[in-house]
Amino acid sequence: MKTSLKILVTTFIIIFAPLHIFAQSKNEFVIGIGTSQGTITNAKGTHGPVTGNAGTNVKLVTLVDDKLKSDLYFSLDYYRNLTGGLYLNAGISSVSVSTSTTQANFVGGYSIATFPGINLFGYMIDIGPSYRFKTNSSYTPFVGLNASFFGGSADNTRFAGGALYGVGGNHTYVECIGYTPRIGVYKNSGFFRGFGITINSTTASCNIGAFRSYQYDGFRGDLSLLRYQLDYRVSF
């Protein structure tokens, strides 16, 4: 995980390093604050025997409540004008999401009635093209499609019986890769110039390290996040 994150950060620096040379009035920094909602599904990994599913094999577990709730997140984006309304967008944002305590059902019929919440936290890096549409109004709409990389951790990993199950324990790594379509609009003149709204819809496949009873090679799952943010852009 550390190696992957270093590669992502290095890539990010390479993109931003030349800014002082190439910066033009059409280039922008965008600062945002927002919240998100989503789900984590198709969680599966190598698991020991459980009732109704003997043997050590890949087992799928389904959360009765798989919804993710979010803390506020902060983001920083850079838009570099390529030509006309076409821009290159690169950004980084904090992520902190969690599920509620729920029931977990394994294929074969075995259930854990009280499955403590899963907490994921770290940083999302996005990079991709963005296009702005010309209008005759004081609002500029835009769309984009980014490749997305998440690097972070999960807690509440303890594998123990009774009340200690899923409470505390060492942090484990989380790595996700996917894509993020985005749409938004911002004020290009007049009062509130520079303020806007951006909506990001991230779909990613995740690898999570040793986690509770998934002690062999962790588990994999699909992450879906819908992120809404208010932002402010500064041209230079």
Side-chain angles (χ1 to χ4, degrees):
M1 189 275 287
K2 290 182 179 179
T3 300
S4 298
L5 194 56
K6 286 180 180 178
I7 293 173
L8 294 177
V9 172
T10 301
T11 303
F12 204 64
I13 291 173
I14 291 172
I15 293 170
F16 284 128
L19 297 190
H20 67 284
I21 299 175
F22 297 103
Q24 301 175 7
S25 60
K26 290 185 178 180
N27 298 334
E28 296 170 343
F29 276 119
V30 180
I31 301 170
I33 182 172
T35 187
S36 60
Q37 61 186 41
T39 58
I40 183 166
T41 57
N42 297 321
K44 57 187 176 182
T46 303
H47 195 285
V50 297
T51 303
N53 191 342
T56 298
N57 50 35
V58 175
K59 291 180 170 60
L60 174 71
V61 62
T62 302
L63 303 181
V64 172
D65 182 0
D66 60 9
K67 296 181 180 61
L68 293 167
K69 52 189 178 182
S70 165
D71 293 335
L72 285 178
Y73 72 83
F74 298 91
S75 66
L76 176 64
D77 283 86
Y78 172 68
Y79 286 88
R80 179 172 177 175
N81 183 245
L82 300 178
T83 179
L86 183 63
Y87 287 73
L88 173 65
N89 168 227
I92 184 169
S93 58
S94 60
V95 175
S96 180
V97 294
S98 60
T99 64
S100 301
T101 298
T102 185
Q103 179 175 312
N105 298 324
F106 287 83
V107 171
Y110 178 71
S111 295
I112 300 175
T114 304
F115 189 81
I118 299 173
N119 304 318
L120 309 177
F121 44 91
Y123 293 93
M124 184 86 74
I125 292 178
D126 297 287
I127 183 169
S130 177
Y131 187 80
R132 302 181 184 185
F133 300 94
K134 291 183 179 180
T135 68
N136 293 323
S137 73
S138 60
Y139 294 92
T140 299
F142 61 91
V143 297
L145 179 62
N146 287 340
S148 299
F149 310 90
F150 173 78
S153 303
D155 61 11
N156 285 347
T157 63
R158 188 188 304 277
F159 181 33
L164 292 179
Y165 176 80
V167 178
N170 295 327
H171 289 188
T172 193
Y173 72 86
V174 181
E175 293 180 338
C176 307
I177 183 170
Y179 61 92
T180 301
R182 62 168 44 182
I183 60 172
V185 63
Y186 67 90
K187 196 79 162 49
N188 60 44
S189 62
F191 201 54
F192 291 124
R193 179 180 179 179
F195 285 95
I197 298 173
T198 304
I199 300 174
N200 303 279
S201 179
T202 300
T203 301
S205 296
C206 300
N207 289 316
I208 300 177
F211 189 86
R212 300 179 190 174
S213 50
Y214 285 101
Q215 289 294 302
Y216 294 92
D217 53 6
F219 72 93
R220 298 168 297 282
D222 296 330
L223 178 70
S224 175
L225 279 180
L226 189 60
R227 295 178 284 161
Y228 312 85
Q229 71 179 52
L230 298 174
D231 44 49
Y232 179 71
R233 62 194 60 228
V234 179
S235 300
F236 59 96

